[in-house]
Amino acid sequence: MLRCTSAMAKLTPLFSILTHRPFLSSSNSHSYSLKHTINHRAIIPFTTTSAINTLPQTTDSRDNDDGGPIKLSTKARRKAARESPEGVLQIKLNNCSKSGDVIQALSLYDEARKSGVLLNLEHYNKLLYLCTVQTGDGDSDVIDGVSSGSHLGLQRGFEIFQQMLNDKVKPNEATFTNAARVAAAKEDPEMAFELLKQMKSVEIVPKLRSYGPALFGFCKRGDAVRAYEVDADMIESGVMAEEPELCALLEVSVETRNEDKVYEILHRLRAVVRQVSESTLKVVEDWFNSEYAKKIGKREWDDEKIREGFVRGGGGWHGQGWLGSGQWKVVHTHVDEDGVCLSCNEKLVSIDIDTQETEKFASSLAKLACEKVPKANFNHFQKWLEKNGPFDAVVDGANVGLANIADFSFSQLNYVVRQLRQMSPSKRLPLIILHVNRVTSGPARNATNKRLIENWKNSGVLYATPHGSNDDWYWLYAAVSCNCLLLTNDEMRDHLFQLLGSSFFPRWKEKHQVRVSASSRGVSLILPPRYSIVIQESANGSWHVPTVSNDDPDIQRKWLCVTRSSKNS
């Protein structure tokens, strides 16, 4: 139970600034209700104090020959910082975080307060994070499946948050998010949502994780109305929900029998997630198997509007609502190479990509690349590409040359380059992107490889990326700007590609990425599928939902085929 401590009784001016409106009080008797309010326009800038500036000074107390203080080297300053009380505390808290030891972290906090150690933002954020850790490990007692350490962390979370504000340590997004997680763990999503609003009121930009505590809290409670409110705020803030958030919204919509929301969220999954996980697939199945779902659907519809919907969306969905009537037939099945469902024999479509979308994405990609690699280098590449392009295919040379082998192979790279040339409508060699080290050292010094490299250079199809530049930006931009095939086994899931933040990228990748399969049997190319692997809604009201595939190409992807009787004739 979370009780108001004496530390919470007296609110600091800084906390009053944050709480320009009172915390919402939930129906649970154990939640906080912070009643102090001020005019929301009278926001005063945060004041930073020495609590944040805990690193040792840049000078030593000893004097040098001219009578002034001795300046410490960077190495000495870092060593002094590590060995300072604040530095030692941070190291210990980091260790607690790794082990999930909430009780030890709280003990360190209490000891630091008694000793007068000045806690900074990093200390407080780590403590707030640990207060939300749910663990039953160690020697702590377990009550109702939750360790006593977890109970204690939740109990003291807001006390620590209040002390941080008393110390005038300026909170950031992580602070508010961790405080919201404490509230959600106390089953108080109202407070979690209020904290998010307060974060926005002091011009701290929320992230997707900032919305999680309130959104998942309301969904868990079954409060669909408040969950939709959080979702609307998220959309307004330009934050895109991903599969966990959409799955939670879908589940609460299914539970509350909100057929319009179920329909809307299925299409949001189609646009954002495309292939769903097993847990999301289960929620989709629950909807179509429900007694309520069979009552929903149009018995008659306008075929012309359906066709218009397909044209607007590029195919694969119409967005005109549930079609058909009666019980849904739900089957786990597969789709063949031509996109034909092995259950209902319906042929899935390849969804068109708008040309303007492609051009817009290429521009945004170039802008982002210039922020991440030396701008002059990338601008030089753009001019080179304008002069030598366009190409029918682009090859991520390093990835292909190392596909399933330990040492880089120019012969393997050359083999797939020739394969791509034969496939090319213009019979031109593809563009090969390699780092400058790959074309000047190692296997590149071999006489045969030297001749091969020179031939590519003379043909204007080899670009060596300079030192300090990530190859990925170059081959991706070239493939998108040329709107051509891209040969790489890179799944493009890491941080670099997450920066793109666009639902366009997975659609483009699906239609343009070629993979190489190298084994003892030889090297072959795996071409893009003839149909789009994405949730598809057909003109007769049926649905096909793909699941995330296994990395093994020999294991077929599982699809959910959902059909019902067509409209009345």
Side-chain angles (χ1 to χ4, degrees):
M1 180 177 290
L2 187 61
R3 295 187 176 90
C4 190
T5 65
S6 58
M8 292 295 294
K10 186 177 180 181
L11 300 176
T12 66
L14 183 59
F15 192 75
S16 298
I17 291 169
L18 293 175
T19 54
H20 65 270
R21 52 191 156 186
F23 277 113
L24 295 176
S25 178
S26 73
S27 58
N28 298 331
S29 60
H30 60 262
S31 67
Y32 278 119
S33 177
L34 303 181
K35 300 177 181 178
H36 191 87
T37 63
I38 67 169
N39 188 323
H40 71 276
R41 290 177 182 154
I43 295 179
I44 305 169
F46 286 110
T47 303
T48 56
T49 69
S50 59
I52 299 176
N53 304 315
T54 57
L55 289 178
Q57 297 300 309
T58 58
T59 58
D60 197 333
S61 60
R62 296 169 295 172
D63 292 335
N64 58 21
D65 293 339
D66 61 8
I70 299 174
K71 291 185 178 181
L72 295 176
S73 67
T74 301
K75 183 177 181 180
R77 286 183 60 214
R78 289 175 179 171
K79 183 174 184 292
R82 287 194 302 271
E83 294 175 354
S84 69
E86 294 79 14
V88 171
L89 175 61
Q90 190 63 60
I91 291 170
K92 289 182 177 180
L93 288 175
N94 289 342
N95 290 333
C96 289
S97 179
K98 291 175 184 177
S99 61
D101 195 337
V102 185
I103 294 176
Q104 177 63 18
L106 293 172
S107 176
L108 289 168
Y109 167 72
D110 291 335
E111 184 180 336
R113 298 294 310 169
K114 289 177 184 177
S115 303
V117 176
L118 294 175
L119 277 72
N120 60 26
L121 178 64
E122 194 173 356
H123 293 133
Y124 278 116
N125 279 349
K126 189 68 69 175
L127 285 161
L128 286 171
Y129 164 74
L130 279 160
C131 284
T132 67
V133 171
Q134 300 293 310
T135 175
D137 297 336
D139 298 327
S140 58
D141 296 329
V142 176
I143 305 170
D144 296 329
V146 182
S147 74
S148 57
S150 301
H151 281 295
L152 184 60
L154 296 180
Q155 181 183 343
R156 298 195 60 189
F158 285 110
E159 171 201 331
I160 292 171
F161 184 41
Q162 173 65 53
Q163 187 59 57
M164 176 182 177
L165 301 176
N166 289 344
D167 288 345
K168 297 187 177 69
V169 177
K170 181 180 176 180
N172 62 6
E173 178 273 331
T175 312
F176 279 103
T177 297
N178 284 327
R181 286 169 178 162
V182 173
K186 296 293 297 179
E187 298 183 358
D188 194 348
E190 286 88 357
M191 182 181 283
F193 194 22
E194 185 63 24
L195 281 163
L196 185 133
K197 292 176 182 177
Q198 290 163 12
M199 171 171 41
K200 291 171 65 178
S201 75
V202 292
E203 299 182 350
I204 296 175
V205 179
K207 298 181 180 179
L208 178 58
R209 67 180 186 179
S210 311
Y211 285 92
L215 181 66
F216 293 124
F218 286 127
C219 288
K220 182 179 178 182
R221 183 189 289 178
D223 190 341
V225 173
R226 296 306 307 278
Y228 299 151
E229 187 181 339
V230 178
D231 182 43
D233 192 285
M234 188 159 46
I235 293 169
E236 182 185 326
S237 298
V239 176
M240 183 178 289
E242 295 180 357
E243 184 169 11
E245 293 76 26
L246 291 174
C247 181
L249 286 165
L250 181 64
E251 188 168 19
V252 77
S253 300
V254 170
E255 290 171 353
T256 55
R257 299 181 175 184
N258 190 332
E259 66 270 18
D260 291 338
K261 276 292 183 181
V262 172
Y263 188 81
E264 172 199 324
I265 294 165
L266 275 177
H267 278 299
R268 286 172 66 183
L269 279 166
R270 173 192 54 76
V272 177
V273 179
R274 301 173 67 76
Q275 301 109 48
V276 305
S277 65
E278 288 291 336
S279 57
T280 302
L281 190 71
K282 175 65 167 57
V283 179
V284 175
E285 283 188 83
D286 288 345
W287 164 254
F288 285 112
N289 284 324
S290 69
E291 285 296 310
Y292 185 74
K294 74 178 183 180
K295 301 174 185 177
I296 304 301
K298 302 174 184 177
R299 293 177 179 271
E300 296 287 343
W301 56 86
D302 188 333
D303 289 329
E304 184 58 33
K305 284 187 177 181
I306 298 298
R307 279 193 291 271
E308 289 174 0
F310 276 116
V311 171
R312 280 196 306 272
W317 66 285
H318 53 74
Q320 300 301 304
W322 303 109
L323 305 182
S325 61
Q327 185 72 48
W328 293 92
K329 180 182 177 183
V330 182
V331 178
H332 287 262
T333 186
H334 299 287
V335 171
D336 70 16
E337 292 182 357
D338 294 320
V340 176
C341 174
L342 300 184
S343 175
C344 69
N345 292 320
E346 182 174 331
K347 193 176 190 310
L348 302 184
V349 301
S350 178
I351 299 172
D352 293 335
I353 295 178
D354 186 81
T355 303
Q356 290 183 337
E357 270 192 295
T358 304
E359 292 174 354
K360 183 179 178 182
F361 185 68
S363 297
S364 63
L365 180 59
K367 182 180 178 181
L368 189 56
C370 287
E371 295 173 2
K372 300 299 177 182
V373 300
K375 187 174 181 179
N377 291 347
F378 197 79
N379 286 342
H380 179 271
F381 172 64
Q382 288 180 291
K383 292 175 182 177
W384 183 93
L385 189 61
E386 286 178 12
K387 178 183 177 182
N388 293 275
F391 295 90
D392 294 327
V394 175
V395 180
D396 173 7
N399 183 279
V400 173
L402 288 167
N404 292 346
I405 52 177
D407 299 316
F408 187 86
S409 170
F410 274 99
S411 61
Q412 178 167 288
L413 176 57
N414 185 43
Y415 179 78
V416 296
V417 162
R418 286 189 282 109
Q419 280 189 294
L420 283 173
R421 182 179 192 174
Q422 289 184 344
M423 292 166 48
S424 166
S426 64
K427 300 304 177 186
R428 187 186 179 190
L429 286 166
L431 169 59
I432 305 156
I433 303 289
L434 280 171
H435 191 273
V436 64
N437 286 345
R438 293 284 183 194
V439 299
T440 57
S441 60
R445 294 173 178 169
N446 175 278
T448 302
N449 295 337
K450 271 186 178 181
R451 287 193 297 272
L452 183 62
I453 291 169
E454 284 304 312
N455 179 52
W456 288 341
K457 284 181 179 178
N458 294 335
S459 301
V461 299
L462 175 65
Y463 191 88
T465 57
H467 295 288
S469 290
N470 187 331
D471 295 4
D472 297 358
W473 293 111
Y474 291 78
W475 51 254
L476 180 57
Y477 173 77
V480 173
S481 61
C482 293
N483 199 24
C484 65
L485 295 176
L486 170 61
L487 178 58
T488 180
N489 281 2
D490 193 324
E491 289 301 325
M492 294 177 268
R493 293 173 181 159
D494 63 18
H495 176 66
L496 184 156
F497 302 104
Q498 291 173 14
L499 289 173
L500 300 175
S502 170
S503 61
F504 172 85
F505 183 49
R507 288 187 284 133
W508 182 91
K509 185 174 73 166
E510 178 186 80
K511 291 183 74 71
H512 292 266
Q513 184 176 6
V514 180
R515 294 173 174 82
V516 58
S517 175
S519 65
S520 57
R521 292 174 292 180
V523 179
S524 60
L525 299 182
I526 303 171
L527 299 177
R530 298 186 180 95
Y531 58 97
S532 295
I533 303 172
V534 60
I535 296 174
Q536 296 201 19
E537 175 191 34
S538 74
N540 62 13
S542 65
W543 289 75
H544 288 85
V545 183
T547 62
V548 177
S549 69
N550 191 293
D551 288 335
D552 187 344
D554 294 328
I555 299 177
Q556 278 189 295
R557 184 189 306 273
K558 184 170 66 178
W559 286 74
L560 192 70
C561 169
V562 187
T563 57
R564 73 195 315 188
S565 60
S566 301
K567 69 177 180 178
N568 295 339
S569 55

